[in-house]
Amino acid sequence: MSARAVSRAAATGPGPAVAGRPFESTRVYAWLRRAILDVDRAPGSALAEADIAARFGLSRTPVREALLRLAAEELVEIRPQRGTYVARIALPRIEEALFVREAVECAVLARVAARADRAPVARQLAAIVDEQEAAAAAGDVAGALAADSRFHRALVDASGLPGVWEVVARARDLHHRIRAIAVPELGSARQAIADHRAIVRAVRAGDAARAQARMAAHLTRNLALARTIAARHPDYFAAPAALAEP
């Protein structure tokens, strides 16, 4: 399923549930958040409350509530008297997110590589990478990105500290839009898959230092991708083009 198809599917909501405005607001929030992260709604583009309300057959109130939630997550910018816009991407925030991910996920790898039963973990990780590769080969951007997320979550779960995933997931969301652009435009999934396979080999061997080095290189490449995307799509970014340079 393509990234756009995922966003369209989200518009139908999760099915029957408790009626009422909180549910309506959450449904709009989930659909619009996915559309923004998948870049179905381009950074800097306008969001019309009336159009969104009409799409869902709602009043503007639950739409406004959803937009306020997204603004709190820095995904939407509400400009009084001017309108509401998809927030542009901020390179400094991406750098911060990748800094957090490197600190956390390298520590996670030390725990995973030290497990006596790491062989089954390595097999599970390898199977996820196989799924990622198959999705990428089929041109399934959403599938490749979903498998990428499962890979990193499986590592966190294998560390015995599953609650850490919330920290990693928040950081990943900050640069998800970069991946959503880079996979189809730059073919970045190929390198990500190679990085993941190298991490799996290091985990299988119990080599924490090598696994951590591969993870650090993997995350550094994400920052390089962000700079490349900034050069290709400067209008998507809050920072001037000059900030896209190392």
Side-chain angles (χ1 to χ4, degrees), residues 28 31-32 41 45-56 59-60 63-64 67 76 82-86:
V28 175
W31 169 75
L32 190 52
R41 295 295 182 114
S45 62
L47 297 171
E49 285 184 14
D51 291 347
I52 298 171
R55 181 187 185 101
F56 285 87
S59 71
R60 290 195 184 191
V63 174
R64 192 169 299 120
L67 291 171
V76 159
R82 295 180 60 190
T84 301
Y85 301 84
V86 176

Side-chain angles (χ1 to χ4, degrees), residues 25 31 223 236:
S25 175
W31 169 75
L223 184 56
Y236 285 1

Side-chain angles (χ1 to χ4, degrees), residues 91-169:
L91 279 171
R93 294 288 283 137
I94 290 175
E95 190 164 10
E96 291 168 359
L98 292 170
F99 178 87
V100 169
R101 286 192 60 193
E102 182 174 344
V104 174
E105 294 190 71
C106 284
V108 159
L109 280 168
R111 294 175 64 97
V112 176
R115 285 181 54 155
D117 61 344
R118 61 184 177 272
V121 173
R123 285 195 295 273
Q124 178 195 13
L125 294 169
I128 295 172
V129 181
D130 288 343
E131 293 171 10
Q132 183 182 8
E133 187 168 35
D140 181 358
V141 174
L145 292 174
D148 186 296
S149 183
R150 288 199 302 277
F151 178 86
H152 288 271
R153 177 151 198 175
L155 277 173
V156 171
D157 289 346
S159 74
L161 300 170
V164 169
W165 176 248
E166 184 177 347
V167 175
V168 175

Side-chain angles (χ1 to χ4, degrees), residues 94 97-106 152 172 175 195 212-225:
I94 290 175
L98 292 170
F99 178 87
V100 169
R101 286 192 60 193
E102 182 174 344
V104 174
E105 294 190 71
C106 284
H152 288 271
R172 285 176 60 85
H175 62 97
D195 289 344
Q212 291 171 324
R214 291 292 190 172
M215 178 64 79
H218 176 59
L219 296 175
T220 297
R221 273 188 274 275
N222 275 288
L223 184 56
L225 285 173

